[in-house]
Amino acid sequence: MCLGIPGRVVGMLEGYGGQLALVDVEGSERKVNIGMLDDASLAPGDWVVIHMGFAVERVDQAGAEQAMAGLELMGRPREPQGDRGGPP
């Protein structure tokens, strides 16, 4: 697995040659290019690993949790849900 951020597909975006998906990453929705995936057919609820705006790997939920755990080990703490504001 490559170093990346896991996200859950919310839906596909119209246009763009069918290569853009809306993906939820820890509560924030992002446009992600899925053109690098071997099988670019994704559905809402599918998990992907994102690197620099590109989905580079399809994973299951366990793989997504493993990727997030790896990021946490490198010093990126997971924010509690609801604590998305800026500095106090």
Side-chain angles (χ1 to χ4, degrees):
M1 180 183 311
C2 95
L3 179 62
I5 300 171
R8 191 171 208 172
V9 175
V10 174
M12 299 302 297
L13 296 175
E14 301 236 355
Y16 307 102
Q19 292 193 358
L20 277 187
L22 190 60
V23 178
D24 180 287
V25 178
E26 292 279 302
S28 178
E29 292 183 352
R30 302 171 184 207
K31 294 178 185 175
V32 174
N33 187 308
I34 61 167
M36 292 179 61
L37 296 177
D38 288 336
D39 176 14
S41 62
L42 293 174
D46 288 344
W47 289 91
V48 293
V49 174
I50 305 160
H51 181 72
M52 297 187 69
F54 290 86
V56 293
E57 183 178 6
R58 182 189 298 224
V59 294
D60 58 12
Q61 185 171 359
E65 290 172 1
Q66 184 179 24
M68 185 57 73
L71 291 172
E72 290 171 355
L73 283 174
M74 293 179 359
R76 183 201 175 276
R78 186 179 298 195
E79 296 176 17
Q81 294 293 333
D83 184 20
R84 302 259 181 238

